[in-house]
Amino acid sequence: MAPATPHTSPIDFERIFHPKRIAIVGVSQEGLGFGAGIFVSLRLIGFEGEIFLVNPKGGDLNGEPIHRSVEEIPRAIDFAIIAVAARAVPEVLEACRLKGAAGAEIFSSGFKELGTAEGIALEEEIVRVAARGIRVIGPNCFGIYCPRSGLTVLPGPDLSRETGPVAFSSQSGGMAVDFANAGKSVGLKFSKVVSFGNGCDLRETELLDYFRDDPETGLVAMYIEGIRDGDAFFESLRRTTARKPVIVNKGGLSAAGRRAVQSHTASMGGSREIWQSILRQANAVQVGDMGEMVQACLAFSLLPRRTYHNITVLGGGGALGVAAADLAESFGVQIPAFEPDLAGRIDELLPKPGSSPGNPVDVANPFVPPKTLKAIMRLAAGDPRIDLQIFTSLLHHYKNMAMLTGRPIKAVTPYLELADDIHEVAAETGKPIVVILSNPKSGPDHLDVVDMFVDARRAFIERGIPVFAELRDALRAIGHLNAYYERKS
Amino acid sequence: MNKDQALQLIETARKEGRKTLSEYEAKQVLAAWGIPVTREVLVEDRAALAGALNAIGFPLVMKGCAAEIAHKTEKNLVRVDIRGEAEAVAAFDEIMAGLDGKGGVLVQEMIGGRRELVMGLTRDPQFGACVMFGLGGIFTEILKDISFRKAPLERHDAMEMMGDIKGHKILEAVRGMPAADTGTLADMLIRIGQIGVEIEAVAEIDLNPVILDGARPVAVDALIVVQ
């Protein structure tokens, strides 16, 4: 593979991620192909820049004139989106370069991924054009999502315009789109999401280098299948983690033993073992799947940057005490028992019988008023050992109260008050509170409960409170945070 | 042997079309990089045996030693805890017979110690030279309790990779045995990484076992694969 073009100035990246004028080459008037699809998506998400459409047939799309060639575009452009047939890509890319574009994303497929001589030759041609001075995302990708500029991936008309700290780069386009959507659902805010597909020019290392210095990016998440240059990637990773967290999901890890080797060392050093060690050596956070990556990003972006070794767990749910202690230990977190005096004061607030004032605090009754929970959390935060509190909600039980009183579940569930109280206690004590919203009532009979949970989640997220679906997810994410900040020098 | 001589040794082995160095050669290379190995003498002629026994002292270990033999134990080419000359002579003859005329017998100091570690080098297709540390001896393959670091290693990397294995407590003072000399262990790991960085011709290295003789680590067996 030819090397990437050696230098890209920050100004070029600024024009790639925040372009003022873009060209979409390869829009069809019939149907929603990639070109027309991205045009509509950009309009729907509210991209404010100028868009120039190109198709040799001309005409117009939703009232927007279609130019017959890139050369016909009347102004210089910053960025191009290319969705023409593979064979036409090199020429179009060169025309975009001559039109002043700093970069282009190429949705088209039909290149190296085919493994054919023609596909490989075409991709090499793209690399040669890129080396003349236009940076390329793709080919065979879904492009860039940047909430601040309004660029969006294909298909991403419904992504958020709220900018935030999370940058994500992904070889897989589907993964990029899913991550952007999953992130939106749980309250992650993105600086940039890049699906780079075949990654013939810009890919993992170049993007990591950019994200390291990007003031919009507070943490980097990556989905990696293969990498171009192990040494360069490792160096970039190490330098980046010294400044901000990097969370890596490496796909396609194989056990050792594929290669013909003679030593124990080589036979045990499969990609699984080596990647795990390399990521640890560079102090990157390794996650096993997208769910874990979303959760880790949530913890890294919402919790203050430090370690959390001693926590409280308050609330209810099956076998809370035992389960919580076991789980916490496996992620290197402690749930220290309260001193008798503190336990006594908490006990005075708890409903009887069935509650337990130690740590975890089992409130036993799901209808304990937020006011009481607030007082308990305030007392528990007074234990100087405690770094963070986890509240495990039992909101689904309000369905029973709704049925008994004949009122809608949203009217009887005090989630807004709870969100306000939790926010207040966390702010006043300086000890973050994480909320577990798990809903066992999620079937077709309980769509009102599901709906209420959506609102409750939003209420917490809007107040900056991290919400996880399961206690295990939260503890694992906190474990990642601890591992990173402990080893960051 | 100094580093230049060690490089020469590897070059010669490659020119002869060999894929591995003998244990004796491998240890000389390792020693040239300052890695502690057993004291040993290679005896190819029965007449030289007495001098070797004198130099090493009883009890000692005798092993068949040739470039292309691995799995010496399985091939019954290892005798341990030899305590006298008659026993040594008998062992010499048996081992030589098992070697079919290739190579010689390594007369080696016997390292007493119940804690066995493994160290090594592999070349990952993506990340290049990587150093391994883990539990050694028969546990290496059974437990696979190992960790890797990309070379070159900083001291911090070496210390941390020892802590990464599940059985890291084996390095602490345990059952009357002293805490391992982790400073020397770290040096060994760093130097294995240096060999990987400095000698492209070295494809793989195994030091298995590295035995803790009290606190002191010693490479008791070694394999170097050349490319």
Side-chain angles (χ1 to χ4, degrees):
Chain A
M1 188 181 290
T5 4
H7 298 294
T8 297
S9 72
I11 300 150
D12 291 337
F13 272 115
E14 174 62 25
R15 288 175 60 217
I16 288 170
F17 287 110
H18 307 114
K20 293 192 173 56
R21 280 184 289 277
I22 66 175
I24 303 175
V25 188
V27 292
S28 164
Q29 284 174 289
E30 294 103 41
L32 275 180
F34 280 3
I38 195 66
F39 173 60
V40 174
S41 291
L42 286 167
R43 284 283 187 249
L44 286 171
I45 201 172
F47 174 74
E48 289 93 357
E50 271 186 88
I51 302 176
F52 300 101
L53 305 180
V54 179
N55 184 305
K57 290 181 193 153
D60 71 279
L61 185 66
N62 300 350
E64 191 72 36
I66 300 176
H67 301 272
R68 288 179 190 279
S69 68
V70 174
E71 289 80 2
E72 270 186 27
I73 296 172
R75 312 264 322 252
I77 56 172
D78 298 306
F79 186 65
I81 299 174
I82 299 175
V84 299
R87 272 175 219 185
V89 168
E91 199 182 321
V92 166
L93 184 66
E94 173 66 3
C96 292
R97 182 183 77 81
L98 294 171
K99 257 303 167 206
E105 59 188 32
I106 302 171
F107 293 163
S108 324
S109 54
F111 297 92
K112 216 170 192 171
E113 79 280 3
L114 296 181
T116 61
E118 192 196 2
I120 292 166
L122 279 170
E123 189 157 322
E124 282 166 359
E125 186 58 29
I126 293 177
V127 174
R128 279 193 288 276
V129 176
R132 288 183 210 135
I134 180 168
R135 298 310 303 251
V136 170
I137 314 273
N140 188 28
C141 74
F142 289 158
I144 295 171
Y145 161 52
C146 176
R148 187 154 74 82
S149 70
L151 272 189
T152 189
V153 282
L154 181 79
D158 53 353
L159 294 174
S160 168
R161 286 299 302 276
E162 253 190 290
T163 195
V166 183
F168 179 55
S169 79
S170 174
Q171 233 156 324
S172 150
M175 194 71 114
V177 173
D178 289 353
F179 191 71
N181 279 296
K184 185 185 183 185
S185 313
V186 302
L188 278 187
K189 296 189 184 98
F190 295 99
S191 60
K192 279 112 187 171
V193 172
V194 182
S195 142
F196 61 77
N198 293 8
C200 77
D201 179 31
L202 289 178
R203 49 184 302 144
E204 63 282 335
T205 303
E206 293 80 6
L207 291 167
L208 193 55
D209 284 340
Y210 168 71
F211 291 146
R212 175 171 60 244
D213 294 323
D214 176 26
E216 285 187 350
T217 295
L219 70 132
V220 184
M222 313 178 80
Y223 172 73
I224 296 174
E225 282 165 12
I227 51 172
R228 172 155 48 201
D229 178 339
D231 289 349
F233 173 71
F234 179 74
E235 215 31 63
S236 175
L237 190 60
R238 197 138 71 157
R239 291 176 58 204
T240 308
T241 62
R243 294 179 51 186
K244 39 187 99 167
V246 181
I247 298 157
V248 177
N249 178 16
K250 171 69 176 78
L253 290 170
S254 67
R258 296 262 171 92
R259 292 181 295 147
V261 295
Q262 305 194 46
S263 63
H264 287 133
T265 304
S267 74
M268 290 194 294
S271 66
R272 183 181 304 280
E273 294 77 15
I274 297 286
W275 268 93
Q276 188 182 345
S277 293
I278 289 281
L279 292 175
R280 183 160 161 76
Q281 186 173 2
N283 198 21
V285 173
Q286 186 179 13
V287 293
D289 56 34
M290 196 173 74
E292 188 182 358
M293 180 139 76
V294 168
Q295 293 149 15
C297 287
L298 200 59
F300 274 102
S301 61
L302 291 182
L303 293 173
R305 298 172 183 187
R306 52 175 188 258
T307 56
Y308 301 93
H309 289 297
N310 291 297
I311 66 167
T312 66
V313 178
L314 306 122
L320 175 73
V322 177
D326 284 355
L327 273 177
E329 196 185 323
S330 65
F331 296 114
V333 176
Q334 308 298 322
I335 308 178
F338 294 135
E339 297 297 331
D341 173 53
L342 179 57
R345 279 184 291 152
I346 289 172
D347 197 33
E348 284 166 25
L349 298 169
L350 288 171
K352 306 288 177 321
S355 62
S356 142
N359 187 19
V361 181
D362 188 347
V363 300
N365 177 340
F367 306 118
V368 176
K371 200 168 2 110
T372 305
L373 295 170
K374 182 181 181 178
I376 294 171
M377 285 188 263
R378 204 176 252 154
L379 278 175
D383 183 328
R385 296 170 299 175
I386 296 302
D387 304 313
L388 174 144
Q389 308 206 63
I390 295 183
F391 175 73
T392 60
S393 87
L394 294 167
L395 295 184
H396 59 281
H397 285 294
Y398 280 93
K399 171 80 182 196
N400 308 335
M401 185 174 281
M403 291 177 81
L404 293 174
T405 58
R407 301 175 64 202
I409 186 165
K410 281 193 202 175
V412 298
T413 314
Y415 59 87
L416 276 176
E417 196 187 340
L418 191 60
D420 279 335
D421 288 343
I422 286 176
H423 175 66
E424 196 185 318
V425 175
E428 145 200 320
T429 62
K431 298 182 179 183
I433 300 174
V434 167
V435 170
I436 311 300
L437 270 185
S438 65
N439 179 18
K441 299 192 180 192
S442 54
D445 293 351
H446 291 122
L447 292 181
D448 56 338
V449 184
V450 172
D451 187 38
M452 181 272 285
F453 266 75
V454 171
D455 280 11
R457 179 186 281 275
R458 188 188 302 140
F460 290 115
I461 290 170
E462 280 171 358
R463 288 159 182 77
I465 301 163
V467 177
F468 295 87
E470 303 295 339
L471 181 59
R472 178 195 161 76
D473 298 343
L475 289 168
R476 185 171 59 179
I478 291 165
H480 285 316
L481 209 70
N482 288 345
Y484 174 73
Y485 286 110
E486 249 164 45
R487 300 172 72 241
K488 185 168 179 270
S489 46
Chain B
M1 186 174 283
N2 61 31
K3 286 190 183 183
D4 284 339
Q5 290 165 318
L7 289 172
Q8 195 53 52
L9 191 156
I10 292 166
E11 204 40 49
T12 306
R14 287 177 66 206
K15 282 199 184 120
E16 289 169 4
R18 285 157 53 188
K19 291 196 177 63
T20 58
L21 302 186
S22 72
E23 176 183 347
Y24 182 64
E25 292 169 324
K27 283 186 179 158
Q28 287 180 298
V29 173
L30 295 169
W33 263 262
I35 293 166
V37 299
T38 43
R39 283 187 304 115
E40 58 198 29
V41 177
L42 181 64
V43 181
E44 285 162 309
D45 183 345
R46 201 175 174 190
L49 182 60
L53 298 176
N54 246 335
I56 301 300
F58 296 107
L60 50 76
V61 175
M62 294 171 71
K63 294 174 177 173
C65 180
E68 305 296 343
I69 53 164
H71 310 295
K72 291 180 279 275
T73 306
E74 289 88 325
K75 289 180 184 144
N76 198 25
L77 296 175
V78 179
R79 302 284 184 282
V80 300
D81 199 20
I82 291 172
R83 290 171 176 274
E85 193 162 348
E87 195 183 348
V89 171
F92 181 87
D93 291 342
E94 282 170 27
I95 293 171
M96 284 305 270
L99 282 173
D100 297 331
K102 290 176 293 184
V105 174
L106 206 48
V107 177
Q108 192 172 80
E109 68 171 317
M110 192 161 97
I111 301 295
R114 287 185 287 150
R115 291 178 290 180
E116 299 195 346
L117 306 169
V118 61
M119 294 183 182
L121 180 88
T122 181
R123 288 193 188 273
D124 181 73
Q126 279 173 318
F127 293 108
C130 291
V131 177
M132 184 181 83
F133 175 80
L135 293 184
I138 62 164
F139 294 115
T140 303
E141 279 161 295
I142 296 169
L143 297 179
K144 291 190 167 58
D145 191 6
I146 48 171
S147 62
F148 287 86
R149 286 295 182 275
K150 176 173 163 51
L153 273 65
E154 292 169 15
R155 178 152 291 269
H156 161 81
D157 296 321
M159 297 305 282
E160 195 176 65
M161 74 185 289
M162 289 189 269
D164 277 357
I165 66 164
K166 292 187 194 78
H168 62 87
K169 287 199 170 149
I170 199 168
L171 302 178
E172 296 174 3
V174 56
R175 290 186 169 235
M177 296 180 276
D181 176 356
T182 48
T184 299
L185 286 169
D187 286 339
M188 292 168 76
L189 294 166
I190 292 167
R191 286 166 187 174
I192 290 169
Q194 279 170 355
I195 294 175
V197 171
E198 292 169 21
I199 319 179
E200 201 53 44
V202 171
E204 303 162 32
I205 302 177
D206 268 346
L207 274 60
N208 193 11
V210 170
I211 295 183
L212 291 177
D213 176 12
R216 180 182 73 106
V218 185
V220 169
D221 197 355
L223 170 70
I224 292 183
V225 180
V226 294
Q227 57 186 14

